[in-house]
Amino acid sequence: MAAAQTPREAVGAAADSARRALDGTFAAVSVWERERGRLRVLVNVGELTDGEEPLPEDESYPVHQFPEITEFLHERWASGGEPHAWVETSEGRRTGSGAYRHERVAALRRRGRGSCVVAPVVLHGRAWGELYVARPAGSVVFGRDDADFATVLAAVTAAGLAQTERLEEVRRLAFTDPLTGLGNRRAVDIRLDEALEVHRAHGTVVSLVVCDLNGLKRVNDSLGHAVGDRLLERFGSVLSLCGAMLPGALVARLGGDEFCLLGVGPPADEVVRVADELCRRAAELEMGEGVACGVASTGDPIGPIRSARRLFRLADAAQYRAKAARSAKPVVAGRDGGVDDPVVRLADSAADHPPERRRFRGRRP
């Protein structure tokens, strides 16, 4: 679980490890979705039957069919300790407290399985879901020792889930701008490098829109930084809305009053259309003075893009031209003469200047 890259991979690792540890042929991990009153299966591993998928989109069961899950919060474990696993068999026998559940027995028979062990997973002191391991009909039936072992495995699974949650939170903080909730510069750098690899391999169009929010300094100086932060948040919401018009786009705050939108796949004209919509909506924001917007896309005649740095320089140069001209529309690199476009020449000349003379801020060294 610790080696997994995503929560679903971590759950899958837990299910498969438990299956092997308990000598089962099938295992699943389900989560209790309280708001929907259902157990939703996250992963199935091992020998699957009809209707079972490794990563089901929506395999779920009403919780009233398996009410044991709701008992985890009440008197049985109120005095402390962890819920104990139990065994069900296709013959209706049960190892553990309480009467057998007809639904589980029926499911075993329907799928040709002889027995299962069900272990509650408790996370942060609350019932989170369950670990389920089964053996086929005709094989050795699970016993009390197996239930004891499954209880331990469920506790280990819960510890792994807690660690995964912490790592996910760290990742979220590492790639998220805390004020706007958008991606940050680190997220853009990684995504852009990956996108350009795909572009070089398959010719996929990669487009970068760089925006500079006008009037932020005036707002900060005259109305205070709290009001300036609200303006940044509102523009971030507008950028998010416009970014949603491009499937798979990443929207981010680069820092200060600079934002960007990274599109991978859509044609350059579609990205420019969205950038134009962004400028229009930004101009309507209360307190702000619109946005200066520059676009650079591999779908336009801007010359070879061998690095993320060059695409950033081109988008920066276009944004600089838009700001200098107080343009209400985006300026697009390469659309006024191709590689002889003044924007392209400006970007390329900036690469020859020492860092202290460059016009562009906050970019890669």
Side-chain angles (χ1 to χ4, degrees), residues 191-192 195-196 198 204-207 246-250 262-266 271:
R191 181 71 177 278
L192 182 54
L196 288 177
V198 175
T204 303
V205 175
V206 179
S207 304
L246 296 171
L250 171 68
L262 173 61
V264 183
V271 176

Side-chain angles (χ1 to χ4, degrees), residues 60-345:
S60 59
Y61 305 93
V63 75
H64 72 264
Q65 292 182 0
F66 306 99
E68 307 96 326
I69 189 79
T70 65
E71 297 172 357
F72 303 163
L73 301 180
H74 299 295
E75 291 80 3
R76 187 174 300 180
W77 296 287
S79 59
E82 294 293 331
H84 202 285
W86 68 91
V87 173
E88 302 274 8
T89 75
S90 59
E91 298 177 358
R93 291 184 288 107
R94 177 178 176 133
T95 300
S97 59
Y100 76 86
R101 298 296 177 186
H102 172 73
E103 290 81 3
R104 291 194 188 275
V105 173
L108 286 171
R109 294 171 179 170
R110 185 171 63 251
R111 290 166 177 161
R113 293 169 182 148
S115 65
C116 68
V117 58
V118 185
V121 177
V122 178
L123 188 63
H124 307 311
R126 303 180 66 192
W128 178 88
E130 67 176 35
L131 171 66
Y132 176 101
V133 181
R135 289 174 180 169
S139 64
V140 176
V141 172
F142 287 114
R144 179 73 272 168
D145 288 345
D146 295 311
D148 292 341
F149 189 22
T151 299
V152 174
L153 293 175
V156 175
T157 297
L161 289 170
Q163 177 181 342
T164 299
E165 284 186 354
R166 289 192 293 270
L167 290 174
E168 280 297 296
E169 179 64 10
V170 169
R171 291 189 187 103
R172 186 188 67 80
L173 294 174
F175 295 104
T176 304
D177 173 61
L179 177 63
T180 63
L182 304 179
N184 61 14
R185 179 57 194 262
R186 185 179 293 108
V188 175
D189 286 344
I190 292 174
R191 181 71 177 278
L192 182 54
D193 284 338
E194 293 172 346
L196 288 177
E197 286 184 11
V198 175
H199 165 71
R200 286 188 283 269
H202 305 290
T204 303
V205 175
V206 179
S207 304
L208 187 65
V209 181
V210 172
C211 312
D212 192 286
L213 185 60
N214 296 328
L216 180 63
K217 184 177 186 306
R218 176 190 59 78
V219 171
N220 284 335
D221 292 345
S222 60
L223 300 175
H225 286 271
V227 178
D229 285 350
R230 287 202 297 274
L231 176 59
L232 289 168
E233 290 179 280
R234 289 172 183 171
F235 178 71
S237 297
V238 170
L239 181 60
S240 179
L241 184 152
C242 291
M245 300 175 185
L246 296 171
L250 171 68
V251 294
R253 181 186 178 205
L254 300 175
D257 56 3
E258 288 190 305
F259 294 77
C260 82
L261 183 156
L262 173 61
V264 183
D269 286 344
E270 185 67 12
V271 176
V272 173
R273 184 190 67 78
V274 170
D276 189 64
E277 177 69 8
L278 174 64
C279 290
R280 186 188 69 77
R281 289 177 179 267
E284 297 174 353
L285 285 176
E286 184 181 0
M287 298 179 297
E289 299 174 7
V291 64
C293 192
V295 183
S297 174
T298 61
D300 283 321
I302 55 176
I305 301 296
R306 297 186 176 89
S307 68
R309 183 180 179 183
R310 173 168 166 77
L311 195 65
F312 253 121
R313 282 203 310 268
L314 287 161
D316 253 335
Q319 183 266 121
Y320 176 81
R321 296 273 298 190
K323 197 171 191 72
R326 298 183 179 274
S327 175
K329 291 183 172 294
V331 171
V332 184
R335 294 204 170 182
D336 186 15
V339 293
D340 293 324
D341 185 333
V343 170
V344 177
R345 292 204 304 269

